[in-house]
Short mmCIF file of all heavy atoms in Angstrom, two decimals:
data_model
loop_
_atom_site.label_atom_id
_atom_site.label_comp_id
_atom_site.label_asym_id
_atom_site.label_seq_id
_atom_site.Cartn_x
_atom_site.Cartn_y
_atom_site.Cartn_z
N SER A 23 30.29 -13.93 -61.63
CA SER A 23 29.92 -15.24 -62.15
C SER A 23 29.32 -15.14 -63.55
O SER A 23 29.68 -15.90 -64.45
CB SER A 23 28.90 -15.92 -61.24
OG SER A 23 29.43 -16.08 -59.96
N SER A 24 28.41 -14.21 -63.73
CA SER A 24 27.74 -14.06 -65.03
C SER A 24 28.43 -13.04 -65.92
O SER A 24 28.10 -12.92 -67.09
CB SER A 24 26.28 -13.64 -64.82
OG SER A 24 26.23 -12.34 -64.27
N LYS A 25 29.39 -12.30 -65.35
CA LYS A 25 30.09 -11.22 -66.06
C LYS A 25 29.11 -10.17 -66.59
O LYS A 25 29.28 -9.63 -67.67
CB LYS A 25 30.96 -11.78 -67.18
CG LYS A 25 32.05 -12.71 -66.68
CD LYS A 25 33.04 -13.03 -67.77
CE LYS A 25 34.13 -13.97 -67.40
NZ LYS A 25 34.57 -14.14 -66.09
N ARG A 26 28.11 -9.91 -65.77
CA ARG A 26 27.09 -8.92 -66.13
C ARG A 26 26.95 -7.89 -65.02
O ARG A 26 27.15 -8.19 -63.85
CB ARG A 26 25.74 -9.60 -66.37
CG ARG A 26 25.72 -10.55 -67.55
CD ARG A 26 24.37 -11.21 -67.69
NE ARG A 26 23.31 -10.23 -67.74
CZ ARG A 26 22.58 -9.96 -68.82
NH1 ARG A 26 22.79 -10.62 -69.91
NH2 ARG A 26 21.64 -9.06 -68.77
N VAL A 27 26.55 -6.69 -65.41
CA VAL A 27 26.24 -5.65 -64.45
C VAL A 27 24.74 -5.73 -64.18
O VAL A 27 23.93 -5.75 -65.10
CB VAL A 27 26.63 -4.26 -64.99
CG1 VAL A 27 26.17 -3.17 -64.02
CG2 VAL A 27 28.14 -4.17 -65.22
N GLU A 28 24.41 -5.79 -62.91
CA GLU A 28 23.01 -5.83 -62.50
C GLU A 28 22.65 -4.49 -61.87
O GLU A 28 23.50 -3.83 -61.28
CB GLU A 28 22.78 -6.97 -61.51
CG GLU A 28 23.12 -8.33 -62.09
CD GLU A 28 23.02 -9.46 -61.08
OE1 GLU A 28 22.36 -9.28 -60.03
OE2 GLU A 28 23.63 -10.51 -61.31
N CYS A 29 21.40 -4.12 -62.01
CA CYS A 29 20.94 -2.81 -61.53
C CYS A 29 19.81 -2.99 -60.53
O CYS A 29 18.98 -3.89 -60.68
CB CYS A 29 20.45 -1.99 -62.72
SG CYS A 29 19.68 -0.44 -62.25
N LEU A 30 19.79 -2.12 -59.55
CA LEU A 30 18.69 -2.09 -58.60
C LEU A 30 18.19 -0.65 -58.56
O LEU A 30 18.98 0.27 -58.37
CB LEU A 30 19.19 -2.53 -57.22
CG LEU A 30 18.09 -2.79 -56.22
CD1 LEU A 30 18.42 -4.06 -55.45
CD2 LEU A 30 17.96 -1.63 -55.29
N GLN A 31 16.92 -0.49 -58.78
CA GLN A 31 16.32 0.85 -58.79
C GLN A 31 15.43 0.99 -57.56
O GLN A 31 14.47 0.25 -57.39
CB GLN A 31 15.49 1.04 -60.06
CG GLN A 31 14.84 2.37 -60.15
CD GLN A 31 14.02 2.52 -61.44
OE1 GLN A 31 14.17 1.77 -62.37
NE2 GLN A 31 13.15 3.50 -61.45
N GLY A 32 15.75 1.96 -56.72
CA GLY A 32 14.98 2.17 -55.51
C GLY A 32 14.40 3.58 -55.46
O GLY A 32 14.63 4.31 -54.50
N CYS A 33 13.69 3.95 -56.53
CA CYS A 33 13.10 5.29 -56.53
C CYS A 33 11.68 5.22 -55.98
O CYS A 33 10.98 4.24 -56.17
CB CYS A 33 13.11 5.91 -57.92
SG CYS A 33 12.26 4.98 -59.17
N GLY A 34 11.32 6.27 -55.28
CA GLY A 34 10.04 6.31 -54.62
C GLY A 34 8.88 6.57 -55.56
O GLY A 34 9.05 6.99 -56.71
N ARG A 35 7.72 6.35 -55.06
CA ARG A 35 6.48 6.58 -55.80
C ARG A 35 5.70 7.70 -55.09
O ARG A 35 5.93 7.98 -53.93
CB ARG A 35 5.62 5.32 -55.80
CG ARG A 35 6.37 4.07 -56.20
CD ARG A 35 5.83 3.55 -57.52
NE ARG A 35 6.38 2.26 -57.89
CZ ARG A 35 7.47 2.10 -58.61
NH1 ARG A 35 8.17 3.11 -58.97
NH2 ARG A 35 7.88 0.90 -58.96
N SER A 36 4.75 8.25 -55.78
CA SER A 36 3.89 9.22 -55.11
C SER A 36 2.94 8.46 -54.19
O SER A 36 2.62 7.29 -54.43
CB SER A 36 3.11 10.05 -56.14
OG SER A 36 2.30 9.22 -56.93
N PRO A 37 2.50 9.09 -53.11
CA PRO A 37 1.58 8.41 -52.19
C PRO A 37 0.31 7.96 -52.90
O PRO A 37 -0.23 8.67 -53.76
CB PRO A 37 1.27 9.49 -51.15
CG PRO A 37 2.42 10.45 -51.23
CD PRO A 37 2.85 10.44 -52.67
N ALA A 38 -0.17 6.78 -52.55
CA ALA A 38 -1.33 6.19 -53.22
C ALA A 38 -2.57 7.06 -53.13
O ALA A 38 -3.36 7.12 -54.07
CB ALA A 38 -1.61 4.80 -52.62
N ALA A 39 -2.76 7.76 -52.02
CA ALA A 39 -3.98 8.55 -51.84
C ALA A 39 -3.86 9.98 -52.37
O ALA A 39 -4.81 10.75 -52.27
CB ALA A 39 -4.35 8.59 -50.36
N LEU A 40 -2.72 10.33 -52.95
CA LEU A 40 -2.53 11.69 -53.45
C LEU A 40 -3.23 11.86 -54.79
O LEU A 40 -2.90 11.21 -55.77
CB LEU A 40 -1.04 12.02 -53.59
CG LEU A 40 -0.72 13.46 -53.93
CD1 LEU A 40 -1.16 14.40 -52.81
CD2 LEU A 40 0.76 13.61 -54.20
N THR A 41 -4.21 12.75 -54.82
CA THR A 41 -4.95 13.02 -56.05
C THR A 41 -4.71 14.47 -56.46
O THR A 41 -4.27 15.30 -55.65
CB THR A 41 -6.47 12.82 -55.84
OG1 THR A 41 -6.92 13.79 -54.88
CG2 THR A 41 -6.78 11.40 -55.36
N LEU A 42 -5.01 14.79 -57.70
CA LEU A 42 -4.87 16.16 -58.17
C LEU A 42 -5.75 17.09 -57.34
O LEU A 42 -5.33 18.18 -56.96
CB LEU A 42 -5.21 16.27 -59.65
CG LEU A 42 -5.13 17.67 -60.25
CD1 LEU A 42 -3.74 18.27 -60.09
CD2 LEU A 42 -5.53 17.64 -61.72
N ASP A 43 -6.95 16.64 -57.03
CA ASP A 43 -7.86 17.47 -56.22
C ASP A 43 -7.26 17.76 -54.84
O ASP A 43 -7.32 18.89 -54.35
CB ASP A 43 -9.21 16.76 -56.08
CG ASP A 43 -10.26 17.65 -55.45
OD1 ASP A 43 -10.42 18.80 -55.91
OD2 ASP A 43 -10.91 17.18 -54.48
N ALA A 44 -6.65 16.75 -54.23
CA ALA A 44 -6.02 16.94 -52.92
C ALA A 44 -4.86 17.92 -53.01
O ALA A 44 -4.67 18.76 -52.12
CB ALA A 44 -5.55 15.60 -52.36
N VAL A 45 -4.09 17.84 -54.08
CA VAL A 45 -2.97 18.77 -54.27
C VAL A 45 -3.49 20.19 -54.40
O VAL A 45 -3.00 21.11 -53.75
CB VAL A 45 -2.13 18.38 -55.51
CG1 VAL A 45 -1.15 19.48 -55.88
CG2 VAL A 45 -1.41 17.06 -55.27
N LEU A 46 -4.48 20.39 -55.23
CA LEU A 46 -5.00 21.73 -55.47
C LEU A 46 -5.63 22.35 -54.23
O LEU A 46 -5.60 23.57 -54.06
CB LEU A 46 -6.01 21.70 -56.62
CG LEU A 46 -5.41 21.33 -57.99
CD1 LEU A 46 -6.51 21.17 -59.03
CD2 LEU A 46 -4.36 22.33 -58.43
N LYS A 47 -6.17 21.53 -53.33
CA LYS A 47 -6.80 22.02 -52.11
C LYS A 47 -5.81 22.17 -50.95
O LYS A 47 -6.16 22.71 -49.90
CB LYS A 47 -7.93 21.08 -51.69
CG LYS A 47 -9.13 21.15 -52.61
CD LYS A 47 -10.21 20.19 -52.16
CE LYS A 47 -11.41 20.28 -53.10
NZ LYS A 47 -12.43 19.29 -52.74
N HIS A 48 -4.60 21.70 -51.11
CA HIS A 48 -3.60 21.73 -50.04
C HIS A 48 -3.21 23.17 -49.72
O HIS A 48 -3.09 24.00 -50.62
CB HIS A 48 -2.37 20.93 -50.46
CG HIS A 48 -1.44 20.65 -49.33
ND1 HIS A 48 -0.51 21.56 -48.90
CD2 HIS A 48 -1.31 19.55 -48.54
CE1 HIS A 48 0.17 21.04 -47.90
NE2 HIS A 48 -0.29 19.82 -47.66
N PRO A 49 -3.02 23.51 -48.43
CA PRO A 49 -2.64 24.88 -48.04
C PRO A 49 -1.38 25.40 -48.73
O PRO A 49 -1.26 26.60 -48.97
CB PRO A 49 -2.44 24.79 -46.53
CG PRO A 49 -3.16 23.58 -46.09
CD PRO A 49 -3.22 22.65 -47.27
N ASP A 50 -0.44 24.52 -49.06
CA ASP A 50 0.78 24.95 -49.75
C ASP A 50 0.50 25.50 -51.15
O ASP A 50 1.34 26.18 -51.73
CB ASP A 50 1.79 23.81 -49.87
CG ASP A 50 2.49 23.49 -48.57
OD1 ASP A 50 2.24 24.18 -47.56
OD2 ASP A 50 3.30 22.54 -48.56
N MET A 51 -0.67 25.20 -51.69
CA MET A 51 -0.99 25.62 -53.06
C MET A 51 -1.74 26.94 -53.13
O MET A 51 -2.00 27.44 -54.22
CB MET A 51 -1.80 24.51 -53.76
CG MET A 51 -1.01 23.25 -54.05
SD MET A 51 0.48 23.52 -55.04
CE MET A 51 -0.22 24.06 -56.59
N VAL A 52 -2.07 27.52 -51.99
CA VAL A 52 -2.79 28.80 -51.99
C VAL A 52 -1.96 29.85 -52.73
O VAL A 52 -0.81 30.10 -52.40
CB VAL A 52 -3.09 29.26 -50.54
CG1 VAL A 52 -3.69 30.66 -50.53
CG2 VAL A 52 -4.02 28.28 -49.86
#
Side-chain angles (χ1 to χ4, degrees):
S23 300
S24 67
K25 298 191 182 335
R26 295 178 53 111
V27 175
E28 299 174 20
C29 173
L30 191 137
Q31 180 180 344
C33 58
R35 311 246 187 270
S36 60
L40 187 64
T41 64
L42 178 59
D43 189 50
V45 168
L46 295 174
K47 289 180 180 176
H48 193 277
D50 285 357
M51 291 303 295
V52 173

